[in-house]
Amino acid sequence: MAQDQTFTVTPWEVKGRVDYRKLAEQFGVKLLTEEDIKKIEKLAGDSHHLLRRGFFYAHRGLETIIERIEKGQRWALYTGRGPSADLHLGHILPWMFTKWLCDRFNVELFFEMTDDEKFLVRDLPLEVANRYAYDNALTLIALGFRPEQLHLIIDTEDIHYLYKIAVKVAKCLTLSTIKHTFGFTDSTNVGAAFFPTLQISVAFLPTELYREEAPVLIPAGIDQDPYFRLARDIADRLGYPKPCTLYCKFVPALTGEEKMSASRPETAIYVNDDDETVRRKIMNAFTGGQPTKELQRKLGGNPDICVVYRYFMAYVPDDNIVKKIYEDCRSGNLICGECKRMLYEHIVRFLHELREKREKARDIIHKYRISSKF
Ligand code: TYM
């Protein structure tokens, strides 16, 4: 849990304007260097826009994974979702990058749907969280994962894969550590206090299933770090390799706040939003533009503080398009209405394709379940 006077970041809450450098310092994670990025790109034989544009910016133990890739040793990817609602574009950002890692390094992804977590920490019936686990999995599959690449774990249904690891993890963690790490209090229910052991367990699962040392690399938003700091602390004691992580910054809310909020639908674009809703949300977005068209033409805008530009950075891989928008905005050639219209077109095209693939995923979801493979 990181709390500063100006911002708060926990796995359940992000408030205020996050200073990402400071946050990395508070969490004790390393910043990704130019050299790290070059190394990944060289090994991948390719470059990913989320890496070169600084969305993924911090890590724990990345050098271990790099070394294993260089030596041709086994490792795996791990990430997840707390299925409490429909997905918004922020959630899928780390997964788009994860897909790229899967393809470039020919490595398998273990994906945890924590329906139990959302029941325990939110006011959500277990059946509803479980239904969202299946729904959210369709979008994940729609990003293009092949069945042999992706192993889907739904906590309440696949618990036997995790439980033996979770009790060992639980024995290493005191209540006081859990309270301090996650900001729990004496009135927190015991299920919520136990839950972190399950999110940690998946980090050790590939080593059990492959029956050989297989550290995981976890691409995720930086809010998830508290789990993996604990996982690294106890790994040695349990005879597992330390999990490694790669953290991204948050895609901001359309209204300019730091992170989209599932409880405030206007701040985020959801995978299931219809075109008109997407249009309205983008048209109302916070920009770095001038108050009037005339001033914008004369003075130019400020893409560095503009949410619309940040969305181009996140969801439009083509550098030429993004560069042109930056320059045209600065010079006053591009006004906000036009820029928003272009973003709308990119986003709805992306969403149409995603939803089409989601429908196809309904018939094949069983092929992705961990139980169909291990
Ligand atoms: P959840 O469902 O809160 O979030 C899922 C993933 O989305 C990231 N994320 C974002 N990334 C960029 N911009 C945003 N605006 C944004 N909002 C959310 C989160 O950081 C996360 O990576 N407890 C977890 C589920 C989980 C998990 C994991 C996550 C289980 N095992 C391993 C990551 C890695 C949760 O509730 O995530």
Side-chain angles (χ1 to χ4, degrees), residues 177-274:
T177 301
I178 291 291
K179 276 165 79 174
H180 182 252
T181 307
F182 295 99
F184 291 156
T185 64
D186 283 349
S187 54
T188 302
N189 71 68
V190 293
F194 181 75
F195 167 73
T197 66
L198 295 175
Q199 183 152 338
I200 291 171
S201 295
V202 183
F204 303 138
L205 183 62
T207 292
E208 291 285 351
L209 294 178
Y210 295 155
R211 295 178 194 280
E212 67 175 291
E213 187 170 279
V216 290
L217 176 66
I218 307 171
I222 185 149
D223 56 330
Q224 299 297 314
D225 180 65
Y227 294 100
F228 307 122
R229 180 161 54 80
L230 292 184
R232 286 175 66 84
D233 282 350
I234 63 173
D236 268 354
R237 251 190 289 168
L238 294 174
Y240 293 121
K242 283 188 197 308
C244 308
T245 62
L246 202 43
Y247 295 128
C248 65
K249 299 175 185 169
F250 306 117
V251 181
L254 289 162
T255 40
E257 290 94 2
E258 198 58 54
K259 186 169 171 260
M260 300 168 173
S261 161
S263 54
R264 292 176 48 224
E266 286 305 304
T267 64
I269 295 172
Y270 288 84
V271 166
N272 292 325
D273 277 348
D274 61 37

Side-chain angles (χ1 to χ4, degrees), residues 10-156:
T10 77
W12 298 287
E13 185 187 35
V14 176
K15 267 198 324 212
R17 182 139 306 277
V18 178
D19 178 333
Y20 283 100
R21 262 177 182 273
K22 224 179 195 175
L23 180 60
E25 214 172 273
Q26 285 173 5
F27 276 171
V29 300
K30 280 196 197 154
L31 294 177
L32 213 56
T33 61
E34 272 306 310
E35 204 186 310
D36 295 328
I37 295 173
K38 285 211 180 89
K39 240 185 221 166
I40 300 172
E41 289 178 343
K42 187 166 169 238
L43 291 167
D46 190 14
S47 154
H48 194 280
H49 69 282
L50 294 175
L51 205 51
R52 63 178 185 267
R53 293 180 193 162
F55 275 90
F56 276 86
Y57 87 110
H59 71 98
R60 286 187 190 268
L62 181 67
E63 53 288 346
T64 303
I65 298 296
I66 288 180
E67 201 184 313
R68 291 188 84 85
I69 297 172
E70 284 168 344
K71 292 186 177 159
Q73 292 169 326
R74 197 133 203 202
W75 59 288
L77 287 160
Y78 162 38
T79 197
R81 157 74 176 150
S84 56
D86 280 344
L87 290 167
H88 59 55
L89 287 180
H91 294 125
I92 64 177
L93 187 96
W95 308 347
M96 288 157 53
F97 181 63
T98 306
K99 172 69 170 69
W100 180 81
L101 291 171
C102 261
D103 289 343
R104 292 296 165 264
F105 295 109
N106 193 22
V107 70
E108 294 169 16
L109 167 64
F110 290 78
F111 191 101
E112 183 184 30
M113 287 287 180
T114 56
D115 51 351
D116 50 350
E117 174 194 8
K118 294 299 149 168
F119 168 66
L120 291 164
V121 303
R122 290 261 177 87
D123 192 13
L124 199 70
L126 190 53
E127 299 67 32
V128 175
N130 183 256
R131 223 176 301 134
Y132 275 123
Y134 280 92
D135 174 87
N136 291 182
L138 297 179
T139 302
L140 173 70
I141 293 169
L143 292 175
F145 291 97
R146 296 189 307 277
E148 64 276 17
Q149 276 183 320
L150 166 62
H151 310 310
L152 184 64
I153 300 159
I154 300 178
D155 277 0
T156 59

